[in-house]
Amino acid sequence: MRLLLTLSILSAGFCCAQAVDDSQPPSSNVMGAQYPRISSDLRATFRLRAPDAKTVQVQVGADQKHYDLEKGADGTWTGTTPPLVPGFHYYYFFVDGVQVNDPASHAFYGVSKDSSGIEVPEKGVDYYLPKDVPHGDVRSHWYYSKLTEAWRRCFVYTPPGYDTNVRTRYPVLYLQHGSGEDETGWSIQGHVNFILDNLIAAGKAKPMIVVMDRGYATKAGAPAPAPPVAPPPAAPGVAPAGRGAPGGGGRGGAPSIFEDVVIGELIPMVDATFRTLPDREHRAMAGLSMGGAQTFQITLNHLDKFAYIGGFSGAGGGMGRGTASFDVKTAYNGVFNDAAAFNKRVKLVWVGAGSAELNGIGAGVVSFRDALQKAGIKVAYYESLGTAHEWLTWRRDLNEFAPLLFR
Amino acid sequence: MRLLLTLSILSAGFCCAQAVDDSQPPSSNVMGAQYPRISSDLRATFRLRAPDAKTVQVQVGADQKHYDLEKGADGTWTGTTPPLVPGFHYYYFFVDGVQVNDPASHAFYGVSKDSSGIEVPEKGVDYYLPKDVPHGDVRSHWYYSKLTEAWRRCFVYTPPGYDTNVRTRYPVLYLQHGSGEDETGWSIQGHVNFILDNLIAAGKAKPMIVVMDRGYATKAGAPAPAPPVAPPPAAPGVAPAGRGAPGGGGRGGAPSIFEDVVIGELIPMVDATFRTLPDREHRAMAGLSMGGAQTFQITLNHLDKFAYIGGFSGAGGGMGRGTASFDVKTAYNGVFNDAAAFNKRVKLVWVGAGSAELNGIGAGVVSFRDALQKAGIKVAYYESLGTAHEWLTWRRDLNEFAPLLFR
């Protein structure tokens, strides 16, 4: 897999100047932490106390470079980056070469571990922030899976009014995270609830339930999962090559049965537990990266259950991983062979990619779109300007995709 | 404040033997991480890859000692602890003296930051584990606070049946975390949902709503919070001396207005949003450590609103911090002066402490109990055998306390 050469840090150079006066701690800091700080020109100043360390470096988001911090007389190391791309970036310190988290940052599950993250504000943009509108809840919901013989946790967004409109039933969007992330990703890094709250309040999206399940499932008794492989920090959410079947999630060799869990257990549980509209015209699925590949696999194999399909920086036919073996005629049991019938039956096929990932994962998304369009399949495409294989791309995707559902 | 000399690591000695054959990764590990591992005799083997580090140590839970790990030829450091006390312990690596998280562990907000944690199983005990019983949900719920001019997040456990019994109203327990922790603590480290699910299924506790708010609130415009002060790892959840008023939460000098937020905003919001029984006979409050002190302050100042009171390793009158200035006659505007009237009005005063914290915070809890009993106030007391100022003490507290509510 190619490394992504992207633009989290827009220009070269790294200096040790103090943060300029207008700098503020980002919302991703733990309470009271004054560093890291971000100035109005989006430079970030990092700081770590490590009196006995020989070297301290920082690496932020899709930029692979390790930037040296400079040691002060009090044993505190400091450094300021060039302006960062807005959005959420995972980041790490390297203390004498060991990759560690910043104790000043909350930890966010991504890159197969709880990682530091920095939320770089996007000027004038608030669609993913809490506003004075009615708010839905995100519920942590446990259910037992007979297929995996394990308790599973999903998160379920219920829209504003769900508790009071006790006779109303709602359509459902199944929304999946990427590889190395988990069921917490969309509500923590993704701000799914605020995006939906704001869309619904503005009348731009229909009130809907959003179900975010854990994208990993292996058969009970399958070999234990392998140790986590840390993908390059450039590509959080990307399924490393060779990890399981195209559907993803078969960590360490045991094949993924996530499709079986979704069809046989998750959907029936959701329809029995929540006030859903349980037909295919009121059921959508989308996912990011590996979750996009899973979405195409599951929806295209079960078009009796889904009418809306979305891939965010993730595509079908293996294209989300940059492979070129996709044959639109044979893929998914030939579902694309009759384009007219497909276009009539499926209300929406939607794919998105960040402009800064088009030399990597994004290229597969574009190729997938092109192959489908060449075969006469209607595909909507959205490109997120300036963003890489990161969460701001996927927040924007959701903000564009959700309004098109259940129309 | 005295350091707690407790017993997370039961005996001295630290060796570099491999984990014995029956060792298993704890549930606190990230997916696929094979280390740390815990053997059946509760020894834990830790491992970290750090080829360029000069020293690597580990420190676990209430034990202050740093144990040296030994470097292998491949740059991986390994070490096995003596048997650990069951329950959840925060832990850290020290790489060349810098305290860092273990990338193999999930991160848990405590000690004023997202910290590594290890869940040591308790043989034959499953009251805090998921079982084949009906499950309630834990909802992440956002609300706007005019007093602080900020969005606040609380977590709300709704019991099994809440969604289907749409005419049923429920009593409410307000349940608070300790200092250095936040509103996530009870549902993540505390397993509040499984404890309540299991109690309710067994008929031992009444179905109830549990509200877990963020125990920090300062007036809008108050000075920015100070940088986080890391309390000694021995005492996660303990309010360091001098941090705000007795009620706690006034981080960095700005006085806490948490009491005003609970009384003026949180309770009205909960009663308007959820199907509660909104009278004092159906409202309880409890909290751990700082949350215990907050509970006594808030409930004793507002006995028109609460009939059940609990302090888990946290007490009133400043006793939870080991100060000895508590005067039962004058405290809380003399609420204890008429013991008969108090005992009639308040259905339950309950305090708990771990036997391994009785030379620290626990001593204050016992002194508080003694002072109240001497004044004729009925106080229930529970001691958690062998546990320190840690989450297993508080899980047990909740498991003992919840069955006594709303009788």
Side-chain angles (χ1 to χ4, degrees):
Chain A
M1 173 174 297
R2 284 169 292 173
L3 290 181
L4 297 175
L5 303 172
T6 47
L7 299 171
S8 268
I9 293 185
L10 286 170
S11 57
F14 190 71
C15 69
C16 299
Q18 295 300 306
V20 297
D21 282 342
D22 66 355
S23 68
Q24 296 282 343
S27 61
S28 43
N29 283 15
V30 297
M31 183 176 66
Q34 296 301 304
Y35 288 85
R37 304 178 70 81
I38 301 175
S39 57
S40 61
D41 64 355
L42 305 190
R43 290 172 199 273
T45 299
F46 293 91
R47 188 167 276 195
L48 182 73
R49 187 168 158 73
D52 299 327
K54 294 271 186 300
T55 63
V56 176
Q57 301 173 307
V58 67
Q59 181 267 317
V60 185
D63 185 6
Q64 292 297 295
K65 193 169 171 185
H66 293 198
Y67 293 91
D68 292 322
L69 272 65
E70 192 169 274
K71 189 177 182 180
D74 64 348
T76 299
W77 300 70
T78 306
T80 299
T81 68
L84 299 173
V85 170
F88 176 90
H89 311 297
Y90 296 108
Y91 76 94
Y92 305 96
F93 285 133
F94 290 81
V95 174
D96 292 346
V98 183
Q99 187 192 61
V100 300
N101 283 355
D102 183 352
S105 164
H106 274 298
F108 304 84
Y109 191 73
V111 203
S112 296
K113 62 188 168 194
D114 283 303
S115 301
S116 297
I118 186 166
E119 179 75 38
V120 180
E122 198 180 4
K123 205 171 179 178
V125 172
D126 62 0
Y127 70 88
Y128 53 77
L129 299 177
K131 293 200 266 191
D132 186 15
V133 299
H135 288 268
D137 285 345
V138 175
R139 306 177 179 200
S140 165
H141 184 82
W142 290 83
Y143 68 103
Y144 187 76
S145 158
K146 288 183 183 172
L147 290 170
T148 63
E149 292 182 23
W151 288 95
R152 293 176 61 87
R153 180 178 64 173
C154 61
F155 287 89
V156 180
Y157 168 83
T158 53
Y162 183 86
D163 285 308
T164 46
N165 307 327
V166 294
R167 291 191 207 294
T168 307
R169 304 185 76 91
Y170 297 86
V172 184
L173 165 62
Y174 290 82
L175 186 62
Q176 287 302 123
H177 60 82
S179 174
E181 299 171 335
D182 69 12
E183 68 273 23
T184 64
W186 270 109
S187 33
I188 304 298
Q189 293 98 308
H191 293 204
V192 62
N193 54 321
F194 298 133
I195 293 172
L196 266 294
D197 290 343
N198 292 331
L199 286 173
I200 293 168
K204 291 181 183 167
K206 298 225 169 179
M208 67 183 82
I209 292 167
V210 183
V211 176
M212 297 154 281
D213 200 46
R214 183 172 181 80
Y216 311 106
T218 50
K219 200 167 168 139
V229 180
V238 179
R243 190 185 270 179
R251 313 277 291 208
S256 172
I257 57 164
F258 182 60
E259 178 178 348
D260 300 330
V261 169
V262 169
I263 298 299
E265 299 189 322
L266 179 65
I267 292 175
M269 181 281 289
V270 168
D271 285 337
T273 308
F274 297 90
R275 296 196 314 279
T276 65
L277 291 162
D279 58 351
R280 68 179 292 279
E281 277 73 26
H282 296 93
R283 192 179 295 122
M285 185 169 184
L288 72 92
S289 196
M290 175 186 85
Q294 291 174 323
T295 293
F296 283 102
Q297 176 181 315
I298 292 171
T299 58
L300 295 176
N301 284 342
H302 302 276
L303 284 181
D304 59 315
K305 296 212 170 355
F306 298 92
Y308 300 84
I309 305 169
F312 306 166
S313 306
M319 301 301 279
R321 295 179 179 188
T323 58
S325 61
F326 176 57
D327 179 353
V328 72
K329 288 292 170 200
T330 59
Y332 304 106
N333 303 311
V335 73
F336 298 127
N337 274 337
D338 185 341
F342 184 94
N343 290 338
K344 193 174 172 192
R345 191 169 190 207
V346 177
K347 309 283 185 190
L348 179 68
V349 177
W350 192 102
V351 292
S355 71
E357 60 170 335
L358 291 181
N359 54 354
I361 300 286
V365 174
V366 171
S367 301
F368 180 72
R369 174 203 65 180
D370 291 347
L372 262 57
Q373 286 182 339
K374 202 172 165 189
I377 305 294
K378 283 190 202 160
V379 187
Y381 175 71
Y382 167 77
E383 199 166 291
S384 166
L385 197 63
T387 62
H389 204 72
E390 292 194 301
W391 275 99
L392 190 56
T393 302
W394 307 321
R395 290 179 192 165
R396 288 176 178 171
D397 286 340
L398 179 62
N399 197 47
E400 298 289 327
F401 176 72
L404 307 176
L405 298 178
F406 315 122
R407 298 292 176 184
Chain B
M1 171 174 297
R2 285 170 292 171
L3 290 182
L4 298 174
L5 302 172
T6 49
L7 298 170
S8 267
I9 294 185
L10 287 170
S11 57
F14 191 72
C15 70
C16 299
Q18 295 300 306
V20 297
D21 282 341
D22 65 356
S23 68
Q24 297 281 342
S27 60
S28 43
N29 282 16
V30 298
M31 183 177 63
Q34 297 299 306
Y35 288 85
R37 301 178 73 80
I38 302 176
S39 56
S40 61
D41 64 355
L42 305 191
R43 292 172 198 272
T45 299
F46 294 91
R47 188 166 277 194
L48 182 72
R49 187 169 158 75
D52 299 327
K54 293 272 186 299
T55 63
V56 176
Q57 301 173 306
V58 68
Q59 182 266 317
V60 186
D63 184 6
Q64 293 296 295
K65 194 169 170 183
H66 293 199
Y67 293 91
D68 292 323
L69 274 64
E70 192 169 274
K71 190 177 181 179
D74 64 348
T76 298
W77 300 69
T78 306
T80 299
T81 68
L84 299 173
V85 170
F88 176 90
H89 311 297
Y90 296 108
Y91 76 95
Y92 305 95
F93 285 132
F94 290 81
V95 175
D96 291 347
V98 183
Q99 187 192 63
V100 301
N101 283 356
D102 183 352
S105 166
H106 274 298
F108 304 85
Y109 190 73
V111 203
S112 297
K113 62 188 168 196
D114 284 303
S115 301
S116 297
I118 186 166
E119 179 76 37
V120 180
E122 199 180 3
K123 204 171 178 178
V125 173
D126 63 0
Y127 69 88
Y128 52 77
L129 298 177
K131 292 198 268 191
D132 186 16
V133 300
H135 288 267
D137 285 345
V138 175
R139 306 177 179 200
S140 165
H141 185 82
W142 289 84
Y143 67 104
Y144 188 76
S145 159
K146 288 184 182 172
L147 290 169
T148 63
E149 292 182 23
W151 287 95
R152 291 175 64 83
R153 180 178 63 172
C154 61
F155 287 89
V156 180
Y157 168 83
T158 52
Y162 184 87
D163 285 308
T164 46
N165 307 328
V166 294
R167 292 191 205 297
T168 307
R169 304 185 75 90
Y170 296 87
V172 184
L173 165 62
Y174 291 82
L175 186 62
Q176 287 302 122
H177 61 82
S179 174
E181 298 171 338
D182 69 12
E183 68 273 23
T184 64
W186 269 109
S187 31
I188 305 298
Q189 293 97 309
H191 294 204
V192 62
N193 53 321
F194 298 133
I195 294 173
L196 266 294
D197 290 342
N198 292 332
L199 286 173
I200 292 167
K204 291 181 182 167
K206 297 222 170 182
M208 66 183 81
I209 292 167
V210 183
V211 176
M212 297 154 282
D213 199 45
R214 184 173 178 80
Y216 311 105
T218 49
K219 201 169 166 134
V229 179
V238 179
R243 190 185 272 178
R251 312 276 293 208
S256 172
I257 57 164
F258 182 60
E259 179 178 346
D260 301 331
V261 168
V262 170
I263 299 298
E265 298 187 324
L266 180 64
I267 292 175
M269 181 280 288
V270 167
D271 285 337
T273 308
F274 296 91
R275 295 195 315 278
T276 65
L277 291 162
D279 57 351
R280 69 180 290 282
E281 277 73 24
H282 297 94
R283 193 179 294 120
M285 185 168 184
L288 72 90
S289 197
M290 176 185 86
Q294 291 174 323
T295 293
F296 283 102
Q297 176 182 313
I298 293 171
T299 57
L300 295 175
N301 284 343
H302 303 276
L303 284 181
D304 59 314
K305 296 209 170 357
F306 297 92
Y308 300 83
I309 305 170
F312 306 167
S313 305
M319 301 301 279
R321 294 180 178 189
T323 58
S325 61
F326 177 57
D327 180 352
V328 73
K329 289 293 170 198
T330 58
Y332 305 105
N333 303 311
V335 72
F336 298 127
N337 275 335
D338 186 340
F342 183 94
N343 290 337
K344 193 174 172 190
R345 191 170 191 207
V346 177
K347 308 283 186 192
L348 179 68
V349 177
W350 192 102
V351 293
S355 71
E357 60 169 335
L358 291 180
N359 54 353
I361 299 287
V365 174
V366 171
S367 301
F368 180 73
R369 174 203 65 179
D370 291 346
L372 261 57
Q373 287 182 338
K374 202 172 164 188
I377 304 293
K378 283 190 202 160
V379 187
Y381 174 70
Y382 167 76
E383 200 166 290
S384 165
L385 198 63
T387 63
H389 204 72
E390 292 194 302
W391 274 101
L392 188 56
T393 302
W394 308 321
R395 290 180 193 166
R396 288 176 178 172
D397 286 341
L398 179 63
N399 197 48
E400 297 288 327
F401 177 72
L404 307 176
L405 299 178
F406 316 123
R407 298 294 177 182

